[in-house]
Amino acid sequence: MIKRLLFLITLVGFVTVCNSQSIPKWKIEDVVKSFSKKNDTVYVVNFWATFCKPCIAEIPDFIRIVEKYKTQKVKLLLVSLDLPAFYPARVADFVKKNNYNTNIVWLNETNADHFCPMIDKKWSGAIPSTIIVNNKTGYRKFVEDQVSPADFEASIKAAIGGNAFNKYAAPMNDASVIDKYPTGAATSTMNYVTFRSTDSAVYAITGGKVNTIVKIDNFKVVIIENEGLYYTYSNLGSTTVKKGDVIKNDQLIGYATASLNGDIPTLELYINNSEKSILLTKANFTNRKDKREFDYFKDGPKEPQ
């Protein structure tokens, strides 16, 4: 009986170790090699850890969205940056508990100065961080921050190519997108949209660097550059940023000016670069659900504190 009990304990321990060791141990060169193949596959490599709350928050959406596009050759690799003491048992247990049904490896590296530049020269080592690559089209995007489901899916569509359009969050809370030409051939020439809202707070639809700020009469224009694209926010009544500032996605950049009748804040948004303009319509934007920085026009226009 004792021998049988010892055998069962040994067997259980063996199975546990085997399950724990089912997550491979990779070097950074292995990771780079995994997304460097010359094909039309879209590779998504996400760096995370079991102790990182933003990482854990975004992973289920990553898995769900990649599964949605798997027939279009989209693959996801989760690279754990957990401490050596957490590998293999704690990482494997966490993966099993959360049902992460995707490719997972543990990064066997300790020198961030070595492995970070091999992914992206701008990577400081912070997580979550994600790189999306399509070697056939040359698409490559690196994000050192948590990514919203909408932004992640937009990046996947852009990496796949074709007729996929970007999806942005409306710059103002409760903003209503007004198509300049809702129907007809004129729509094909439109490269901006107008927002009207009872809330004047304007947030960046993408991160980037403030390239230009221009004051014209009683409103301001802010231009933000991100990966060769320029995001122009026109008709701002005031702004909380200055030229050279680095802003994050969804960061408050200012307040929209009032419309011609003086009561509804209005904002025009343009997106373009030297080679192309992105056609913007209502379909490109989703309304905000959060409520922040309430309408400052209620007490009359004033500069934010």
Side-chain angles (χ1 to χ4, degrees):
M1 182 67 180
I2 294 177
K3 288 184 178 180
R4 183 181 179 186
L5 181 60
L6 289 174
F7 171 75
L8 288 174
I9 292 173
T10 303
L11 180 60
V12 170
F14 176 74
V15 172
T16 301
V17 170
C18 286
N19 287 339
S20 298
Q21 292 179 340
S22 63
I23 296 178
K25 181 190 301 185
W26 279 18
K27 301 296 289 184
I28 192 62
E29 289 80 6
D30 299 317
V31 176
V32 173
K33 184 178 179 180
S34 73
F35 63 79
S36 299
K37 298 175 183 178
K38 300 298 181 180
N39 54 38
D40 59 351
T41 299
V42 174
Y43 296 100
V44 180
V45 181
N46 173 255
F47 296 88
W48 68 289
T50 59
F51 53 79
C52 169
K53 289 185 177 180
C55 303
I56 298 167
E58 70 181 4
I59 286 176
D61 290 314
F62 279 24
I63 294 174
R64 174 180 57 81
I65 293 169
V66 168
E67 177 67 18
K68 179 179 177 181
Y69 293 94
K70 69 177 182 179
T71 58
Q72 299 186 58
K73 300 181 180 180
V74 180
K75 294 183 178 180
L76 172 64
L77 174 67
L78 300 181
V79 181
S80 166
L81 267 62
D82 280 279
L83 300 172
F86 291 6
Y87 178 82
R90 181 165 175 174
V91 178
D93 290 345
F94 187 88
V95 167
K96 183 178 179 181
K97 177 182 177 181
N98 289 277
N99 193 29
Y100 290 168
N101 55 337
T102 189
N103 300 311
I104 302 173
V105 300
W106 177 71
L107 188 64
N108 185 23
E109 300 281 3
T110 57
N111 185 0
D113 291 334
H114 167 64
F115 70 79
C116 285
M118 294 186 67
I119 300 300
D120 192 277
K121 292 181 179 179
K122 301 188 296 293
W123 189 18
S124 69
I127 53 175
S129 288
T130 305
I131 186 169
I132 304 174
V133 177
N134 184 335
N135 294 305
K136 183 175 182 179
T137 64
Y139 182 91
R140 184 184 181 93
K141 183 175 184 178
F142 176 77
V143 181
E144 188 179 24
D145 202 351
Q146 183 177 353
V147 182
S148 71
D151 287 343
F152 180 68
E153 185 164 9
S155 297
I156 293 299
K157 288 181 178 180
I160 293 171
N163 296 322
F165 56 78
N166 292 303
K167 197 89 171 181
Y168 301 103
M172 293 185 289
N173 295 340
D174 281 346
S176 173
V177 184
I178 310 299
D179 284 340
K180 186 69 174 180
Y181 305 104
T183 59
T187 305
S188 62
T189 63
M190 184 184 69
N191 65 347
Y192 72 95
V193 289
T194 298
F195 295 89
R196 291 179 181 174
S197 174
T198 55
D199 185 339
S200 59
V202 177
Y203 297 88
I205 63 174
T206 185
K209 189 173 184 178
V210 178
N211 179 277
T212 304
I213 296 182
V214 179
K215 185 174 183 180
I216 304 174
D217 294 331
N218 63 337
F219 67 89
K220 294 181 180 179
V221 176
V222 174
I223 302 176
I224 296 170
E225 189 275 331
N226 183 304
E227 297 183 355
L229 287 176
Y230 292 86
Y231 299 76
T232 303
Y233 300 85
S234 182
N235 297 344
L236 286 168
S238 61
T239 179
T240 59
V241 298
K242 62 182 183 299
K243 182 177 179 180
D245 282 352
V246 176
I247 65 170
K248 293 185 178 181
N249 177 47
D250 222 25
Q251 180 177 328
L252 175 68
I253 61 172
Y255 300 90
T257 189
S259 62
L260 293 178
N261 60 14
D263 58 357
I264 302 176
T266 303
L267 174 75
E268 290 181 351
L269 173 63
Y270 306 75
I271 304 179
N272 54 30
N273 64 8
S274 58
E275 298 180 354
K276 64 182 179 180
S277 293
I278 296 179
L279 178 66
L280 298 176
T281 66
K282 290 181 180 180
N284 291 90
F285 292 86
T286 58
N287 288 333
R288 292 184 176 276
K289 295 180 180 180
D290 54 341
K291 295 286 186 179
R292 295 171 298 180
E293 300 295 338
F294 217 49
D295 183 19
Y296 83 121
F297 282 102
K298 287 185 176 181
D299 299 320
K302 61 178 179 293
E303 291 289 331
Q305 300 298 317

